[in-house]
Amino acid sequence: MSDALNTGCFLKQLWNEPVLGVRPLHPGYEDHASEVWQVTTSSGAFVLRRSLVAGIPEVDFWQGAHHLCGVDASTLQDLRQVLTLLSGIQGVQVPRVRGEVEVEGQVYLVLEKLDGNTICSFEDQPETVMEQLGEMMARIHAQTFTWCGHPTGRVQKPLEDFHAALLDTMQMLVDRFYPAAEFRAALEHARAQLEDVPVTEASLVMLDQDPSQYLHHEGELSGLVDVEAYVIAPAALDLIGLEYVLDRKAARAVKQGYCRIRPFPDLSRVRSPYRLFCRLLSIQGKVPLEDWMNHPAFLDGLD
């Protein structure tokens, strides 16, 4: 726990009321870029967050996200802007920012604590929760952009340049982290597959789709809480990353919910190259490449 957080003086800079307890919240995976606590006061519970990194961490995920779209987990201002964007979309529940303070050069963000518990697995969730997830993703994807890059607008690339930028990022990741022949061969295959595939629109997309990013409460999807890896990219990238944490039943419910809001994107032409990108980011760890690429296409054939 941060030394500053152990001092009553620090907590008094954030709350003018008694602090009853402080509990660290761990995301459940390694290489996370933020330290997060639940702080309980006499008026309720809040979430306190600070960045753990300075600059771009030397790991595949953060290097790839930065190279492609300018993601920088060291600044909480980006997180604040992404939360503001998402909170403006009807039907999307994200924490509201309640305050910010700088102590000894470190910025801390105070966030609303949403009701609910972290989802550990989508496979044991009720169909209603998964349909609500599909609806939420569709509402987010319905907000379209004429460029790709970072939600703050700090990085903007023409839509027609996205696949070239994606291939350049994958080349960097292969050269730096995955020099084995199987990854180089997969990259060349992806290059050929994307040669004539246009990108016609982009949306807010979460690069690290995982159940742990969401909350559930009393049989309902109650919130989206981890948004620091959102970018502006084709919606198909979001859904292809999600496919790895679904089973067939959950996938059917997600697709049903999504299609209530907007047409479901065609994933078939980009599934293989986008899957390779997700693997190079290690969004679900160091899965053997052949197993990763041959994962069932759960979101196909469910109409």
Side-chain angles (χ1 to χ4, degrees):
M1 183 178 292
S2 165
D3 290 339
L5 204 60
N6 282 321
T7 68
C9 180
F10 167 71
L11 292 172
K12 286 178 182 178
Q13 294 183 59
L14 296 170
W15 287 279
N16 296 318
E17 55 192 307
V19 173
L20 306 179
V22 179
R23 179 169 64 90
L25 301 175
H26 193 281
Y29 55 88
E30 300 304 319
D31 296 328
H32 53 280
S34 297
E35 195 169 15
V36 185
W37 302 268
Q38 178 178 312
V39 179
T40 304
T41 73
S42 57
S43 66
F46 301 86
V47 171
L48 185 65
R49 188 181 190 114
R50 71 164 184 147
S51 175
L52 281 174
V53 300
I56 311 303
E58 291 293 326
V59 296
D60 48 13
F61 180 82
W62 293 113
Q63 287 291 316
H66 178 72
H67 191 277
L68 181 63
C69 292
V71 174
D72 182 358
S74 68
T75 169
L76 291 180
Q77 288 303 318
D78 285 5
L79 175 64
R80 190 168 193 158
Q81 289 190 52
V82 173
L83 285 170
T84 299
L85 272 176
L86 289 167
S87 67
I89 303 173
Q90 184 179 8
V92 177
Q93 296 80 37
V94 293
R96 289 174 292 179
V97 178
R98 292 299 185 90
E100 181 180 312
V101 67
E102 184 173 334
V103 178
E104 298 177 358
Q106 178 73 61
V107 176
Y108 293 80
L109 211 58
V110 182
L111 303 172
E112 170 190 25
K113 183 186 181 300
L114 300 179
D115 290 335
N117 297 310
T118 301
I119 296 178
C120 297
S121 170
F122 286 140
E123 296 181 8
D124 58 5
Q125 290 299 311
E127 285 189 23
T128 53
V129 168
M130 301 314 298
E131 289 176 6
Q132 289 165 358
L133 174 61
E135 291 177 4
M136 180 187 289
M137 292 184 71
R139 293 183 191 280
I140 293 172
H141 293 168
Q143 314 302 307
T144 58
F145 297 77
T146 58
W147 49 271
C148 295
H150 195 270
T152 62
R154 182 176 61 246
V155 173
Q156 295 188 28
K157 301 173 183 178
L159 293 177
E160 59 268 25
D161 292 346
F162 177 75
H163 282 155
L166 180 69
L167 289 165
D168 183 62
T169 298
M170 290 198 286
Q171 183 71 64
M172 179 275 294
L173 290 168
V174 167
D175 289 343
R176 290 189 58 183
F177 300 101
Y178 300 99
E182 62 173 342
F183 284 97
R184 294 194 178 278
L187 176 57
E188 292 312 306
H189 187 52
R191 201 181 302 279
Q193 289 176 308
L194 290 177
E195 187 173 1
D196 298 316
V197 180
V199 175
T200 57
E201 67 177 25
S203 307
L204 282 159
V205 164
M206 186 194 296
L207 288 180
D208 54 347
Q209 278 287 352
D210 190 78
S212 63
Q213 320 286 36
Y214 300 91
L215 302 178
H216 67 110
H217 181 64
E218 297 181 350
E220 304 281 333
L221 186 71
S222 59
L224 166 61
V225 292
D226 193 344
V227 304
E228 61 192 351
Y230 260 94
V231 299
I232 308 297
L237 181 58
D238 216 358
L239 294 161
I240 287 168
L242 178 71
E243 200 167 43
Y244 283 98
V245 289
L246 302 176
D247 60 10
R248 190 165 299 280
K249 179 182 176 182
R252 182 182 298 277
V254 166
K255 193 167 185 179
Q256 286 175 343
Y258 193 102
C259 291
R260 291 191 191 116
I261 307 300
R262 73 192 306 257
F264 201 80
D266 178 12
L267 307 183
S268 60
R269 295 185 70 189
V270 295
R271 178 177 275 108
S272 181
Y274 285 11
R275 279 187 167 188
L276 177 61
F277 178 59
C278 290
R279 173 58 187 85
L280 293 172
L281 294 182
S282 298
I283 65 168
Q284 293 297 326
K286 309 296 186 185
V287 180
L289 182 60
E290 184 176 359
D291 294 345
W292 182 264
M293 299 302 290
N294 290 320
H295 186 81
F298 285 132
L299 289 169
D300 279 356
L302 297 174
D303 298 325

PDB file of all heavy atoms in Angstrom, residues 115-134:
ATOM      1  N   ASP A 115     -22.367  -0.071  -7.684  1.00  0.00           N
ATOM      2  CA  ASP A 115     -22.867  -1.266  -7.011  1.00  0.00           C
ATOM      3  C   ASP A 115     -22.426  -2.517  -7.767  1.00  0.00           C
ATOM      4  O   ASP A 115     -22.351  -2.526  -8.999  1.00  0.00           O
ATOM      5  CB  ASP A 115     -24.399  -1.243  -6.955  1.00  0.00           C
ATOM      6  CG  ASP A 115     -24.928  -0.186  -6.001  1.00  0.00           C
ATOM      7  OD1 ASP A 115     -24.194   0.193  -5.068  1.00  0.00           O
ATOM      8  OD2 ASP A 115     -26.073   0.267  -6.202  1.00  0.00           O
ATOM      9  N   GLY A 116     -22.160  -3.570  -7.018  1.00  0.00           N
ATOM     10  CA  GLY A 116     -21.899  -4.851  -7.656  1.00  0.00           C
ATOM     11  C   GLY A 116     -20.532  -5.419  -7.352  1.00  0.00           C
ATOM     12  O   GLY A 116     -19.684  -4.788  -6.717  1.00  0.00           O
ATOM     13  N   ASN A 117     -20.340  -6.635  -7.838  1.00  0.00           N
ATOM     14  CA  ASN A 117     -19.090  -7.365  -7.676  1.00  0.00           C
ATOM     15  C   ASN A 117     -18.454  -7.619  -9.037  1.00  0.00           C
ATOM     16  O   ASN A 117     -19.151  -7.710 -10.055  1.00  0.00           O
ATOM     17  CB  ASN A 117     -19.343  -8.705  -6.977  1.00  0.00           C
ATOM     18  CG  ASN A 117     -19.886  -8.520  -5.572  1.00  0.00           C
ATOM     19  OD1 ASN A 117     -19.336  -7.762  -4.782  1.00  0.00           O
ATOM     20  ND2 ASN A 117     -20.988  -9.197  -5.279  1.00  0.00           N
ATOM     21  N   THR A 118     -17.140  -7.762  -9.031  1.00  0.00           N
ATOM     22  CA  THR A 118     -16.417  -8.042 -10.267  1.00  0.00           C
ATOM     23  C   THR A 118     -16.863  -9.382 -10.850  1.00  0.00           C
ATOM     24  O   THR A 118     -17.021 -10.368 -10.129  1.00  0.00           O
ATOM     25  CB  THR A 118     -14.906  -8.085  -9.991  1.00  0.00           C
ATOM     26  OG1 THR A 118     -14.499  -6.829  -9.442  1.00  0.00           O
ATOM     27  CG2 THR A 118     -14.124  -8.356 -11.265  1.00  0.00           C
ATOM     28  N   ILE A 119     -17.072  -9.407 -12.149  1.00  0.00           N
ATOM     29  CA  ILE A 119     -17.404 -10.663 -12.832  1.00  0.00           C
ATOM     30  C   ILE A 119     -16.119 -11.466 -13.017  1.00  0.00           C
ATOM     31  O   ILE A 119     -15.143 -10.964 -13.572  1.00  0.00           O
ATOM     32  CB  ILE A 119     -18.076 -10.390 -14.189  1.00  0.00           C
ATOM     33  CG1 ILE A 119     -19.420  -9.680 -13.972  1.00  0.00           C
ATOM     34  CG2 ILE A 119     -18.277 -11.689 -14.965  1.00  0.00           C
ATOM     35  CD1 ILE A 119     -20.149  -9.325 -15.254  1.00  0.00           C
ATOM     36  N   CYS A 120     -16.123 -12.693 -12.539  1.00  0.00           N
ATOM     37  CA  CYS A 120     -14.945 -13.557 -12.662  1.00  0.00           C
ATOM     38  C   CYS A 120     -14.944 -14.330 -13.972  1.00  0.00           C
ATOM     39  O   CYS A 120     -13.887 -14.602 -14.545  1.00  0.00           O
ATOM     40  CB  CYS A 120     -14.876 -14.528 -11.485  1.00  0.00           C
ATOM     41  SG  CYS A 120     -14.676 -13.710  -9.882  1.00  0.00           S
ATOM     42  N   SER A 121     -16.120 -14.709 -14.442  1.00  0.00           N
ATOM     43  CA  SER A 121     -16.242 -15.466 -15.685  1.00  0.00           C
ATOM     44  C   SER A 121     -17.587 -15.157 -16.318  1.00  0.00           C
ATOM     45  O   SER A 121     -18.600 -15.059 -15.624  1.00  0.00           O
ATOM     46  CB  SER A 121     -16.130 -16.970 -15.412  1.00  0.00           C
ATOM     47  OG  SER A 121     -16.485 -17.716 -16.566  1.00  0.00           O
ATOM     48  N   PHE A 122     -17.596 -15.001 -17.636  1.00  0.00           N
ATOM     49  CA  PHE A 122     -18.860 -14.804 -18.341  1.00  0.00           C
ATOM     50  C   PHE A 122     -19.635 -16.108 -18.497  1.00  0.00           C
ATOM     51  O   PHE A 122     -20.837 -16.096 -18.741  1.00  0.00           O
ATOM     52  CB  PHE A 122     -18.603 -14.218 -19.727  1.00  0.00           C
ATOM     53  CG  PHE A 122     -18.214 -12.763 -19.722  1.00  0.00           C
ATOM     54  CD1 PHE A 122     -17.237 -12.295 -20.584  1.00  0.00           C
ATOM     55  CD2 PHE A 122     -18.833 -11.857 -18.875  1.00  0.00           C
ATOM     56  CE1 PHE A 122     -16.885 -10.954 -20.603  1.00  0.00           C
ATOM     57  CE2 PHE A 122     -18.486 -10.517 -18.879  1.00  0.00           C
ATOM     58  CZ  PHE A 122     -17.505 -10.064 -19.746  1.00  0.00           C
ATOM     59  N   GLU A 123     -18.950 -17.226 -18.372  1.00  0.00           N
ATOM     60  CA  GLU A 123     -19.578 -18.510 -18.670  1.00  0.00           C
ATOM     61  C   GLU A 123     -20.623 -18.911 -17.639  1.00  0.00           C
ATOM     62  O   GLU A 123     -21.466 -19.758 -17.915  1.00  0.00           O
ATOM     63  CB  GLU A 123     -18.507 -19.591 -18.809  1.00  0.00           C
ATOM     64  CG  GLU A 123     -17.572 -19.340 -19.996  1.00  0.00           C
ATOM     65  CD  GLU A 123     -16.515 -20.411 -20.158  1.00  0.00           C
ATOM     66  OE1 GLU A 123     -16.603 -21.433 -19.437  1.00  0.00           O
ATOM     67  OE2 GLU A 123     -15.611 -20.236 -20.992  1.00  0.00           O
ATOM     68  N   ASP A 124     -20.572 -18.322 -16.438  1.00  0.00           N
ATOM     69  CA  ASP A 124     -21.561 -18.687 -15.422  1.00  0.00           C
ATOM     70  C   ASP A 124     -22.541 -17.551 -15.138  1.00  0.00           C
ATOM     71  O   ASP A 124     -23.249 -17.567 -14.138  1.00  0.00           O
ATOM     72  CB  ASP A 124     -20.870 -19.128 -14.130  1.00  0.00           C
ATOM     73  CG  ASP A 124     -19.942 -18.054 -13.557  1.00  0.00           C
ATOM     74  OD1 ASP A 124     -19.916 -16.932 -14.110  1.00  0.00           O
ATOM     75  OD2 ASP A 124     -19.234 -18.341 -12.571  1.00  0.00           O
ATOM     76  N   GLN A 125     -22.592 -16.569 -16.043  1.00  0.00           N
ATOM     77  CA  GLN A 125     -23.507 -15.446 -15.855  1.00  0.00           C
ATOM     78  C   GLN A 125     -24.873 -15.740 -16.478  1.00  0.00           C
ATOM     79  O   GLN A 125     -24.964 -16.453 -17.483  1.00  0.00           O
ATOM     80  CB  GLN A 125     -22.929 -14.179 -16.485  1.00  0.00           C
ATOM     81  CG  GLN A 125     -21.732 -13.617 -15.753  1.00  0.00           C
ATOM     82  CD  GLN A 125     -22.062 -13.230 -14.322  1.00  0.00           C
ATOM     83  OE1 GLN A 125     -23.044 -12.535 -14.059  1.00  0.00           O
ATOM     84  NE2 GLN A 125     -21.242 -13.694 -13.387  1.00  0.00           N
ATOM     85  N   PRO A 126     -25.951 -15.188 -15.906  1.00  0.00           N
ATOM     86  CA  PRO A 126     -27.276 -15.351 -16.517  1.00  0.00           C
ATOM     87  C   PRO A 126     -27.307 -14.747 -17.920  1.00  0.00           C
ATOM     88  O   PRO A 126     -26.553 -13.817 -18.232  1.00  0.00           O
ATOM     89  CB  PRO A 126     -28.197 -14.565 -15.572  1.00  0.00           C
ATOM     90  CG  PRO A 126     -27.432 -14.374 -14.315  1.00  0.00           C
ATOM     91  CD  PRO A 126     -25.986 -14.383 -14.674  1.00  0.00           C
ATOM     92  N   GLU A 127     -28.198 -15.266 -18.753  1.00  0.00           N
ATOM     93  CA  GLU A 127     -28.314 -14.743 -20.116  1.00  0.00           C
ATOM     94  C   GLU A 127     -28.631 -13.253 -20.116  1.00  0.00           C
ATOM     95  O   GLU A 127     -28.182 -12.517 -21.002  1.00  0.00           O
ATOM     96  CB  GLU A 127     -29.393 -15.511 -20.881  1.00  0.00           C
ATOM     97  CG  GLU A 127     -28.958 -16.901 -21.317  1.00  0.00           C
ATOM     98  CD  GLU A 127     -29.967 -17.552 -22.246  1.00  0.00           C
ATOM     99  OE1 GLU A 127     -30.743 -16.814 -22.892  1.00  0.00           O
ATOM    100  OE2 GLU A 127     -29.985 -18.789 -22.319  1.00  0.00           O
ATOM    101  N   THR A 128     -29.397 -12.800 -19.129  1.00  0.00           N
ATOM    102  CA  THR A 128     -29.749 -11.378 -19.087  1.00  0.00           C
ATOM    103  C   THR A 128     -28.509 -10.501 -18.969  1.00  0.00           C
ATOM    104  O   THR A 128     -28.418  -9.450 -19.614  1.00  0.00           O
ATOM    105  CB  THR A 128     -30.692 -11.084 -17.907  1.00  0.00           C
ATOM    106  OG1 THR A 128     -30.106 -11.599 -16.697  1.00  0.00           O
ATOM    107  CG2 THR A 128     -32.051 -11.716 -18.118  1.00  0.00           C
ATOM    108  N   VAL A 129     -27.541 -10.927 -18.157  1.00  0.00           N
ATOM    109  CA  VAL A 129     -26.310 -10.154 -18.001  1.00  0.00           C
ATOM    110  C   VAL A 129     -25.550 -10.093 -19.320  1.00  0.00           C
ATOM    111  O   VAL A 129     -25.051  -9.037 -19.731  1.00  0.00           O
ATOM    112  CB  VAL A 129     -25.429 -10.753 -16.884  1.00  0.00           C
ATOM    113  CG1 VAL A 129     -24.019 -10.152 -16.911  1.00  0.00           C
ATOM    114  CG2 VAL A 129     -26.062 -10.517 -15.522  1.00  0.00           C
ATOM    115  N   MET A 130     -25.477 -11.227 -20.017  1.00  0.00           N
ATOM    116  CA  MET A 130     -24.724 -11.261 -21.269  1.00  0.00           C
ATOM    117  C   MET A 130     -25.440 -10.480 -22.375  1.00  0.00           C
ATOM    118  O   MET A 130     -24.798  -9.836 -23.209  1.00  0.00           O
ATOM    119  CB  MET A 130     -24.478 -12.705 -21.697  1.00  0.00           C
ATOM    120  CG  MET A 130     -23.711 -13.534 -20.670  1.00  0.00           C
ATOM    121  SD  MET A 130     -22.252 -12.686 -19.993  1.00  0.00           S
ATOM    122  CE  MET A 130     -21.274 -12.451 -21.458  1.00  0.00           C
ATOM    123  N   GLU A 131     -26.766 -10.527 -22.386  1.00  0.00           N
ATOM    124  CA  GLU A 131     -27.499  -9.702 -23.347  1.00  0.00           C
ATOM    125  C   GLU A 131     -27.270  -8.219 -23.064  1.00  0.00           C
ATOM    126  O   GLU A 131     -27.102  -7.414 -23.987  1.00  0.00           O
ATOM    127  CB  GLU A 131     -28.991 -10.034 -23.289  1.00  0.00           C
ATOM    128  CG  GLU A 131     -29.325 -11.402 -23.870  1.00  0.00           C
ATOM    129  CD  GLU A 131     -30.791 -11.757 -23.712  1.00  0.00           C
ATOM    130  OE1 GLU A 131     -31.569 -10.886 -23.261  1.00  0.00           O
ATOM    131  OE2 GLU A 131     -31.164 -12.904 -24.041  1.00  0.00           O
ATOM    132  N   GLN A 132     -27.237  -7.859 -21.790  1.00  0.00           N
ATOM    133  CA  GLN A 132     -26.970  -6.466 -21.427  1.00  0.00           C
ATOM    134  C   GLN A 132     -25.560  -6.054 -21.827  1.00  0.00           C
ATOM    135  O   GLN A 132     -25.334  -4.911 -22.236  1.00  0.00           O
ATOM    136  CB  GLN A 132     -27.188  -6.269 -19.927  1.00  0.00           C
ATOM    137  CG  GLN A 132     -28.651  -6.323 -19.521  1.00  0.00           C
ATOM    138  CD  GLN A 132     -28.847  -6.481 -18.026  1.00  0.00           C
ATOM    139  OE1 GLN A 132     -27.896  -6.599 -17.253  1.00  0.00           O
ATOM    140  NE2 GLN A 132     -30.100  -6.494 -17.600  1.00  0.00           N
ATOM    141  N   LEU A 133     -24.606  -6.988 -21.733  1.00  0.00           N
ATOM    142  CA  LEU A 133     -23.250  -6.694 -22.192  1.00  0.00           C
ATOM    143  C   LEU A 133     -23.255  -6.408 -23.694  1.00  0.00           C
ATOM    144  O   LEU A 133     -22.625  -5.450 -24.161  1.00  0.00           O
ATOM    145  CB  LEU A 133     -22.314  -7.861 -21.878  1.00  0.00           C
ATOM    146  CG  LEU A 133     -20.893  -7.745 -22.435  1.00  0.00           C
ATOM    147  CD1 LEU A 133     -20.175  -6.524 -21.872  1.00  0.00           C
ATOM    148  CD2 LEU A 133     -20.091  -9.012 -22.145  1.00  0.00           C
ATOM    149  N   GLY A 134     -23.963  -7.238 -24.459  1.00  0.00           N
ATOM    150  CA  GLY A 134     -24.061  -7.003 -25.897  1.00  0.00           C
ATOM    151  C   GLY A 134     -24.694  -5.664 -26.214  1.00  0.00           C
ATOM    152  O   GLY A 134     -24.229  -4.923 -27.097  1.00  0.00           O
TER     153      GLY A 134
END
